């Protein structure tokens, strides 16, 4: 507001382009409220970066933290104080605004009126100067009837009425009620009313009124101090308003067309500066999904998106490309295309293994003779943002469930979404659980009556089974024939959920109590596995607040196999051997091929195993690189405290 008003005061106020100035004042006043709320959104695509970010944890002194908390907590609620002061101001200025309106309405209702065309003259008994409110001109009755009011004054007030100056005044008065604390508004109000006087003065002079006589008339109204005392309605336009000296100067001023054009053009850079300086800028980082195109050349070299890559670095390169994508996005939305030369088809399995290690599950391969990646149709998610891909997948889910459990077409499919663990959203509207049946009934009346309604329940997080059970129970009351839970759960859960923590604490407390009492206890393997799985995904804070992990005793040794002394006949029946008659083809499946050390290491890395090389702990990537480079390495896998450990060594592994 201050910048716009300064521009007006310096370049426009003393010019004679009054209609343009009226538009400028109102437009800039409104723009002052609009511009800060304008949001320019810039979408940028996140590119993979090799720059590593190191986060340093700075330990703060606990005593200093307590002091900071005490300082931050003030007994006085300043927010309440400020809102109270603001409310008092709004009430005060609002009362003033309404009182002025009532005064004008009272004058209109209680005094005789004389209508002339579109103008209504309200004849007052009070000795008040002429003033205008919309089409009503308030005049002293005695002076009007004796025709002692100059024609120039009547024309002045008619101009206020015909040009609807009261609209501008009402706008600024209303804004003053809401933003009474803003001092710039008062200067805007003064400039708007002064420009109204410029417009009325200009209309009088254009009507061939002698300028000197008109100025004497204005001075005669301004000389009577009693008028200023009695004329107290601020929302009316009055002839004696504002600086008379400035009005006399402007009457003599004529702005050239060139000056008008230059000042008008200067508004463009001013508006640009205002938009740049005061609007909001919202930068949204796009996570764009792109197909991974891998080419195996005739010589056995690899190209990833047209860039050469060594086979042992393939998984690292794919990880680098998808660095900014979450694991569940990689699993559900990414597609890897392998274009291979027929002479190098043996490499497909190794390339595919490297791709699967990165979490990509959708892998397609094409021969050079049959097709090419350039001619191959990309996946539906290629080039889409994550948000766009989710919308596409959501629509595909509807298509997958177009038939109900009886293979009959569904009349309607309703979509529910669970957010923040317990918020139920129906048709993009947050609803209460008690409203669920009513909302579905009103939207899908025909489908419910015909027992042809299917419901999809969607969530990105791990759902609370109690909430889902309650929703399903409510849906079954309506006769819903198909209920499907669609969950985009992350592949790697960072922390345990509330439900998992509750289950863990119950089981851990149960076994800790058993162990503390001593004696014989019964340990269920399923319980141990559940405790171990939850404990592994718990954060450090959760582990501190949770029950301690039970100190389970070692399992009892396996019973000894029955012994048969030399020379004695065993009474243990041998297992039946499969019989294959001569010239028949055996249907006995061969034993499964054991996984290679590399494949086994990749599988264990996905399960979160800890790797050791020659007794020193190494990362899973380092362990896999070692196995890729040296096929002679030996590997041993053991379970310790519920966690898998993979030990890699150059020496032969001895099983004791």
């Amino acid at each position: 507001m201050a910048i716009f008003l300064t521009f007006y005061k310096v370049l426009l106020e003393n010019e004679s382009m009054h209609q343009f100035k009226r538009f400028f004042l109102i437009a800039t006043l409104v723009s002052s409220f609009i511009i800060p709320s304008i949001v320019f959104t810039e979408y940028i695509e996140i590119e993979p970066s090799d720059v590593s970010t190191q986060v340093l944890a700075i330990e703060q002194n606990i005593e200093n933290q307590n002091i900071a908390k005490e300082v931050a907590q003030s007994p006085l609620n300043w927010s309440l104080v400020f809102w109270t002061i603001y409310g008092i101001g709004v009430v005060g200025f609002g009362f003033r605004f309404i009182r002025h309106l009532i005064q004008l309405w009272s004058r209109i209702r209680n005094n005789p009126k004389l209508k002339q065309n579109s103008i209504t003259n309200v004849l007052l008994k009070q000795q008040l100067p002429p003033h205008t409110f919309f089409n009503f001109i308030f005049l002293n009755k005695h002076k009007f009837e004796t025709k002692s009011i100059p024609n120039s004054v009547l024309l002045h007030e008619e101009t206020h009425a015909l040009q609807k100056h009261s609209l501008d005044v009402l706008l600024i008065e209303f804004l003053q009620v809401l933003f009474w604390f803003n001092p710039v508004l008062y200067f805007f109000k003064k400039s708007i009313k002064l420009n109204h006087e410029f417009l009325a003065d200009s209309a009088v002079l254009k009507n061939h009124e002698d300028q000197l006589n008109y100025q004497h008339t204005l001075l005669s109204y301004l000389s009577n101090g009693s008028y200023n005392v009695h004329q107290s309605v601020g929302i009316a336009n009055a002839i004696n308003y504002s600086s008379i000296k400035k009005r006399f100067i402007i009457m003599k001023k004529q702005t050239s067309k060139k000056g008008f054009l230059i000042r008008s053009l200067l508004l463009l850079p001013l508006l640009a500066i205002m938009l740049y300086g005061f609007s909001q800028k919202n930068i949204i980082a796009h996570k764009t999904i792109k197909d991974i195109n891998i080419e195996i050349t005739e010589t056995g070299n690899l190209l990833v998106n047209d860039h050469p890559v060594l086979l042992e670095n393939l998984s690292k390169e794919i990880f680098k490309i998808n660095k900014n994508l979450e694991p569940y996005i990689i699993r559900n939305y990414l597609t890897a295309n392998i274009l291979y030369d027929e002479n190098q088809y043996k490499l497909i399995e190794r390339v595919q293994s490297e791709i699967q290690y990165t979490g990509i599950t959708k892998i397609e391969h094409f021969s050079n003779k049959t097709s090419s990646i350039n001619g191959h149709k990309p996946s539906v998610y290629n080039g889409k943002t994550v948000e766009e891909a989710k919308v596409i997948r959501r629509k595909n889910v509807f298509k997958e469930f177009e038939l109900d459990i009886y293979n009959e077409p569904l009349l309607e499919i309703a979509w529910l979404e669970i957010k923040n663990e317990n918020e139920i959203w129906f048709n993009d509207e947050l609803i209460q659980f008690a409203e669920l049946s009513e909302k579905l009934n009103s939207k899908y009346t025909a489908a419910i009556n015909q027992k042809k309604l299917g419901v999809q329940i969607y969530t990105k997080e791990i759902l609370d089974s109690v909430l889902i059970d309650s929703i399903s129970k409510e849906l079954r009351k309506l006769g819903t024939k198909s209920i499907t839970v669609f969950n985009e759960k992350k592949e790697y859960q960072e922390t345990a959920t509330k439900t998992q923590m509750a289950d863990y604490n119950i089981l851990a407390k149960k076994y800790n109590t058993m162990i503390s009492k001593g004696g014989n206890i019964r340990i269920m393997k399923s319980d141990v596995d559940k405790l171990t799985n939850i404990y592994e995904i718990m954060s450090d804070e959760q582990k501190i607040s949770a029950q301690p992990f039970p100190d389970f005793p070692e399992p009892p040794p396996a019973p000894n196999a029955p012994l048969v002394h030399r020379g004695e006949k065993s009474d243990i029946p041998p297992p039946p051997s499969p019989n294959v008659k001569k010239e028949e083809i055996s249907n006995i499946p061969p034993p499964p091929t054991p996984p290679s050390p590399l494949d086994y290491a990749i599988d264990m890395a996905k399960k979160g195993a800890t790797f050791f090389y020659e007794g020193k702990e190494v990362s899973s990537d380092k362990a896999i690189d070692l196995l890729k480079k040296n096929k002679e390495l030996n590997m041993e896998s053991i379970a310790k405290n519920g966690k898998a450990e993979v030990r890699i060594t150059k020496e032969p592994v001895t099983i004791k």
Side-chain angles (χ1 to χ4, degrees):
M1 283 186 186
I3 295 173
F4 279 134
L5 191 60
T6 302
F7 181 89
Y8 173 80
K9 289 285 186 181
V10 172
L11 294 176
L12 298 178
E13 187 177 62
N14 294 327
E15 302 300 323
S16 60
M17 41 188 186
H18 307 308
Q19 290 290 356
F20 177 79
K21 292 192 296 184
R22 181 187 181 189
F23 167 78
F24 175 86
L25 286 168
I26 298 300
T28 53
L29 180 64
V30 174
S31 299
S32 299
F33 292 95
I34 295 176
I35 288 176
S37 64
I38 295 175
V39 178
F40 290 100
T41 303
E42 179 183 356
Y43 294 94
I44 60 171
E45 185 176 334
I46 297 179
E47 295 292 342
S49 174
D50 293 330
V51 180
S52 60
T53 303
Q54 184 179 9
V55 180
L56 299 178
I58 303 175
E59 294 185 1
Q60 295 183 342
N61 188 289
I62 297 176
E63 185 177 337
N64 292 340
Q65 289 181 346
N66 294 334
I67 294 172
K69 288 181 180 178
E70 290 177 4
V71 172
Q73 294 175 352
S74 173
L76 189 61
N77 189 337
W78 286 106
S79 177
L80 180 61
V81 171
F82 289 135
W83 277 109
T84 302
I85 295 173
Y86 170 75
I88 293 172
V90 169
V91 171
F93 279 84
F95 176 77
R96 170 181 169 274
F97 179 63
I98 294 172
R99 181 169 60 86
H100 286 170
L101 288 175
I102 293 173
Q103 281 182 355
L104 289 171
W105 175 247
S106 177
R107 290 178 184 178
I108 295 171
R109 186 183 59 181
N110 298 326
N111 291 283
K113 293 173 283 293
L114 180 63
K115 188 166 184 179
Q116 296 178 345
N117 297 324
S118 60
I119 305 298
T120 301
N121 294 322
V122 181
L123 305 180
L124 306 175
K125 295 179 182 179
Q126 299 98 322
Q127 289 290 329
L128 295 178
H131 53 280
T132 307
F133 185 69
F134 284 98
N135 291 339
F136 297 94
I137 300 177
F138 301 89
L139 303 167
N140 178 261
K141 183 179 179 181
H142 175 70
K143 289 191 174 184
F144 179 76
E145 290 174 345
T146 58
K147 297 184 179 181
S148 59
I149 300 176
N151 289 331
S152 59
V153 173
L154 294 176
L155 181 58
H156 181 104
E157 296 303 323
E158 286 179 7
T159 304
H160 284 314
L162 293 174
Q163 294 185 4
K164 308 295 183 185
H165 293 168
S166 295
L167 288 174
D168 303 354
V169 177
L170 279 181
L171 173 64
I172 190 69
E173 289 286 344
F174 178 73
L175 291 175
Q176 195 173 344
V177 171
L178 297 178
F179 304 99
W180 57 266
F181 53 85
N182 188 343
V184 184
L185 271 176
Y186 298 88
F187 294 103
F188 252 105
K189 177 181 174 180
K190 184 177 180 181
S191 295
I192 288 172
K193 281 197 164 188
L194 178 58
N195 191 63
H196 289 168
E197 298 306 310
F198 293 157
L199 286 165
D201 293 341
S202 176
V204 172
L205 295 175
K206 284 180 181 178
N207 198 40
H208 307 294
E209 177 71 22
D210 182 73
Q211 187 180 112
L212 187 59
N213 289 336
Y214 179 59
Q215 290 176 350
H216 282 303
T217 301
L218 291 179
L219 287 173
S220 68
Y221 276 91
L222 291 172
S223 63
N224 193 339
S226 63
Y227 286 172
N228 291 327
V229 175
H230 291 95
Q231 209 284 319
S232 59
V233 183
I235 60 175
N237 290 98
I239 191 171
N240 62 341
Y241 184 83
S242 198
S243 171
I244 193 65
K245 180 181 178 182
K246 186 170 289 187
R247 287 169 64 181
F248 285 177
I249 293 172
I250 297 299
M251 288 180 193
K252 301 176 182 179
K253 185 104 182 233
Q254 290 295 329
T255 302
S256 65
K257 291 183 178 180
K258 182 179 179 181
F260 175 79
L261 182 62
I262 291 173
R263 285 165 174 79
S264 301
L265 291 176
L266 286 174
L267 280 176
L268 297 177
L270 175 68
L271 187 61
I273 292 171
M274 294 294 99
L275 287 171
Y276 181 80
F278 295 99
S279 62
Q280 300 179 48
K281 300 167 188 65
N282 189 13
I283 298 177
I284 298 178
H286 264 329
K287 295 180 180 179
T288 306
I289 297 169
K290 295 181 179 179
D291 292 346
I292 305 297
N293 297 322
I294 302 170
E295 183 179 355
I296 305 175
T297 65
E298 185 179 0
T299 57
N301 295 322
L302 296 182
L303 297 174
V304 177
N305 293 346
D306 297 326
H307 295 289
V309 176
L310 296 175
L311 179 60
E312 53 267 27
N313 294 331
L314 178 59
S315 59
K316 287 184 178 179
E317 186 66 24
I318 296 176
F319 271 128
K320 178 182 175 183
I321 295 172
N322 301 317
K323 187 175 182 180
N324 297 307
L325 297 179
E326 291 81 1
Y328 81 99
I329 296 294
I330 295 173
R331 184 181 71 246
N332 291 316
Y333 298 101
L334 276 185
T335 299
N337 300 311
I338 305 174
L339 176 67
Y340 65 92
D341 186 272
E342 287 75 6
N343 298 322
Q344 300 293 340
Y345 70 92
K346 293 182 180 179
L347 283 175
I348 294 176
E349 186 175 349
R350 294 180 63 187
V351 170
Q352 189 163 316
S353 176
E354 289 283 335
I355 296 172
Q356 289 173 337
Y357 173 62
T358 65
I360 299 176
T361 58
K362 298 177 183 179
I363 303 173
E364 299 182 9
H365 40 79
F366 311 92
S367 167
N368 266 329
K369 288 184 178 180
T370 57
S371 64
S372 67
I373 288 181
N374 293 330
H376 172 67
K377 186 178 180 181
S379 69
V380 294
Y381 305 126
N382 183 56
K384 302 293 190 299
T385 65
V386 171
E387 291 73 20
E388 292 170 340
K390 288 180 179 179
V391 173
I392 295 172
R393 190 177 183 202
R394 180 171 172 172
K395 292 179 180 178
N396 290 340
V397 170
F398 278 119
K399 293 179 181 178
E400 292 174 10
F401 294 96
E402 285 178 346
L403 301 178
D404 63 16
I405 56 177
Y406 302 103
N407 223 22
E408 296 177 0
L410 293 167
L411 181 65
E412 294 282 357
I413 298 178
W415 185 274
L416 297 178
E417 187 170 354
I418 311 298
K419 298 180 181 179
N420 301 325
E421 295 188 356
N422 57 6
E423 292 181 2
I424 304 174
W425 289 75
F426 173 64
N427 288 347
D428 297 325
E429 177 190 359
L430 177 62
I431 63 173
Q432 301 297 321
F433 177 78
E435 301 175 308
L436 180 58
S437 297
E438 179 186 349
K439 294 286 185 181
L440 287 170
N441 259 316
S442 61
K443 178 70 176 177
Y444 302 102
T445 307
I448 292 173
N449 292 338
Q450 299 177 29
K451 306 294 182 185
K452 294 287 186 179
L453 178 67
V455 178
Q456 306 293 312
I457 304 174
Y458 166 83
T459 178
K460 290 194 295 186
E461 306 298 332
I462 299 173
L463 289 176
D464 185 351
S465 59
V466 177
L467 177 61
I468 291 299
D469 290 344
S470 301
I471 294 175
S472 301
K473 185 177 180 181
E474 196 71 17
L475 294 175
R476 290 190 188 97
K477 291 180 182 178
L478 298 174
T480 306
K481 296 187 69 174
S482 175
I483 303 172
T484 306
V485 178
F486 177 62
N487 183 12
E488 280 196 358
K489 185 181 69 174
K490 290 187 179 181
E491 183 175 355
Y492 301 109
Q493 188 180 335
E494 296 178 356
T495 59
T497 63
K498 293 179 181 178
T499 304
Q500 288 174 322
M501 288 298 298
D503 293 343
Y504 171 85
N505 285 326
I506 292 171
L507 282 176
K509 185 176 181 180
K510 169 186 169 183
Y511 283 109
N512 283 329
T513 304
M514 287 184 184
I515 295 170
S516 64
K517 291 181 179 179
N520 295 326
I521 61 173
R522 185 187 180 198
I523 301 174
M524 302 293 291
K525 184 179 182 302
S526 59
D527 289 346
V528 177
D529 292 341
K530 186 174 184 178
L531 285 167
T532 303
N533 292 334
I534 297 175
Y535 191 80
E536 287 179 351
I537 61 175
M538 286 164 56
S539 65
D540 293 338
E541 292 79 6
Q542 288 176 326
K543 289 178 181 178
I544 293 171
S545 61
Q547 290 281 332
F549 193 89
D551 186 15
F552 291 114
E554 291 295 328
N560 295 326
L563 299 175
V564 179
H565 296 286
R566 184 177 293 177
E568 291 183 357
K569 186 177 180 181
S570 172
D571 56 354
I572 303 172
S577 57
N579 293 323
V580 181
K581 296 181 180 180
K582 193 174 183 181
E583 298 180 354
E584 285 186 357
I585 299 175
S586 173
N587 59 357
I588 303 170
T593 305
S596 66
L598 179 60
D599 290 338
Y600 182 76
I602 292 173
D603 185 58
M604 294 303 292
K606 292 179 181 179
K607 294 178 180 179
T610 305
F611 289 84
F612 294 88
Y613 176 63
E614 298 294 349
K616 294 183 179 179
E617 185 175 348
V618 296
S619 65
S620 58
D621 289 342
K622 177 68 174 177
I624 292 170
D625 285 341
L626 289 170
L627 290 169
K628 286 179 181 178
K629 294 175 182 177
N630 190 350
K631 306 297 183 183
E632 304 299 324
L633 292 176
N634 299 299
M635 186 165 56
E636 175 188 15
S637 178
I638 62 173
K640 188 174 181 181
N641 295 330
K643 293 185 178 181
E645 292 185 359
V646 179
R647 298 176 180 176
I648 304 171
T649 178
K650 297 178 182 178
E651 301 298 326
V653 177
T654 303
I655 301 176
K656 298 181 181 180

